[in-house]
Amino acid sequence: MHRIVPACAVGSSLVFSALPMRAHAQTWNDERTMTLVRRATERRAQQLADTGLTDYAATARGYLTFLAQMGEGFTEPPKIVKADQLALEVYWRAPNQSKQWIVGRRDTLLLPTDIQYHRDHLGIVQNNFPNIIRLGDGDEVQDVPHPLSQPGLATYDYAVSDSLRIEIPGRIIDVYEVKLRPRDGRSAAAVGAVYLARDDAQVVRMAFSFTRAALKDQQLEDVSIVLDNSLVETRFWLPRRQEIEIRRTGTWMDFPVRGIIRGPWEICCYQVNRGPPSEVSF
């Protein structure tokens, strides 16, 4: 058992910093792991209906940065070409309705480019993705079974690789790190880990990339995602932090070129079960 020490409080949520963890042997698809994964899958299928969460509003701040590398072997560090700072209003209503508005945007262009971000890069992921994961409006990643879905149970192997402890005022939460990998390495699938609360199998964190078969654009090198949730009002696990990185290679005037999109987001200031504003229609 390893402990996560709270670093600071943000409203009714907490930000955590992790102490170093010691690795140990993994056993894939053992009874304990599969029981936890099935509980988490059932929890997702309920779409939060049993938690008392009917709606929420939040704000999000993030950056989308486009970087480039050139030359054989990409030996030079990537250079920033374009950076966008974004502010969002985020709304959600049970069972699965959501809306996000861009309320502020500041862009900086350092080198000529005509890059246009996909629409879903301009917002945050809610509910830890639907049962079928898509990215880049389906042009980058499409038709990947969610690791905590019924199709996912037939697609992935799972192994509990470590345990963590989160301490918050008046409560201790034990979390298991569950590694995941596709049973068929040639399939379109995710590769990484999900972090599940032991008591109720809530998703605390997801961190994964994708197999080659999942990447629709042949120029894509890698797409990686990190989704962190936090405990809001000591009861609801809701999005707190998100990161995405997309790497794509090609050529420009016969020179090798790598383009990198990075998108870190922070979500805060939740208002829970107060009803959406009258001007918000789903």
Side-chain angles (χ1 to χ4, degrees):
M1 177 68 67
H2 300 85
R3 188 177 59 168
I4 294 182
V5 180
C8 62
V10 180
S12 55
S13 306
L14 288 173
V15 178
F16 307 107
S17 60
L19 297 176
M21 297 179 295
R22 182 178 60 190
H24 56 77
Q26 299 176 13
T27 302
W28 293 93
N29 301 328
D30 63 89
E31 183 177 353
R32 180 186 67 157
T33 298
M34 295 311 300
T35 297
L36 178 65
V37 169
R38 292 190 188 99
R39 287 176 61 208
T41 300
E42 292 170 0
R43 166 70 74 178
R44 286 192 68 254
Q46 293 169 1
Q47 296 180 321
L48 305 179
D50 64 345
T51 69
L53 182 64
T54 59
D55 63 81
Y56 66 72
T59 59
R61 300 289 185 272
Y63 292 87
L64 280 176
T65 306
F66 176 62
L67 306 96
Q69 288 178 288
M70 294 185 63
E72 294 289 343
F74 303 121
T75 57
E76 294 296 323
K79 293 181 171 58
I80 296 176
V81 176
K82 175 180 170 65
D84 290 68
Q85 183 181 11
L86 294 151
L88 303 181
E89 291 180 355
V90 181
Y91 301 96
W92 180 90
R93 184 172 67 184
N96 59 358
Q97 295 179 306
S98 64
K99 175 167 286 189
Q100 302 183 44
W101 286 344
I102 297 176
V103 296
R105 184 169 185 172
R106 178 187 299 145
D107 64 272
T108 302
L109 184 64
L110 301 179
L111 294 171
T113 181
D114 59 355
I115 183 174
Q116 297 292 324
Y117 298 116
H118 286 287
R119 181 178 58 182
D120 58 5
H121 297 163
L122 299 172
I124 66 165
V125 175
Q126 294 175 281
N127 293 342
N128 302 299
F129 285 111
N131 284 344
I132 298 298
I133 297 174
R134 294 165 49 98
L135 284 172
D137 298 329
D139 294 335
E140 292 165 345
V141 173
Q142 185 176 3
D143 299 335
V144 170
H146 194 291
L148 302 176
S149 67
Q150 288 302 322
L153 292 176
T155 302
Y156 299 99
D157 291 323
Y158 307 87
V160 172
S161 65
D162 223 324
S163 58
L164 314 171
R165 173 160 288 173
I166 298 174
E167 295 185 10
I168 62 176
R171 186 172 179 183
I172 295 176
I173 301 172
D174 293 329
V175 176
Y176 287 129
E177 178 188 30
V178 181
K179 297 288 188 182
L180 61 99
R181 67 185 184 187
R183 296 182 180 182
D184 181 355
R186 298 167 297 179
S187 64
V191 182
V194 293
Y195 297 75
L196 306 176
R198 185 182 69 179
D199 288 345
D200 57 7
Q202 288 278 13
V203 179
V204 177
R205 191 173 199 254
M206 300 179 67
F208 55 86
S209 56
F210 298 93
T211 61
R212 177 69 256 178
L215 305 181
K216 296 302 180 182
D217 186 340
Q218 291 302 307
Q219 292 185 324
L220 282 172
E221 279 188 78
D222 184 54
V223 176
S224 60
I225 300 287
V226 176
L227 302 177
D228 284 329
N229 298 322
S230 64
L231 198 58
V232 176
E233 297 188 357
T234 70
R235 187 177 179 189
F236 309 115
W237 287 101
L238 298 175
R240 176 183 68 85
R241 182 173 170 270
Q242 169 183 316
E243 289 187 7
I244 181 172
E245 180 166 307
I246 301 165
R247 292 174 175 260
R248 182 181 278 106
T249 55
T251 57
W252 179 74
M253 296 181 64
D254 295 329
F255 285 95
V257 177
R258 171 187 284 153
I260 304 169
I261 295 174
R262 291 176 181 161
W265 289 90
E266 299 282 346
I267 305 95
C268 75
C269 312
Y270 279 94
Q271 299 182 42
V272 174
N273 292 347
R274 300 185 185 182
S278 57
E279 66 270 18
V280 177
S281 60
F282 291 92

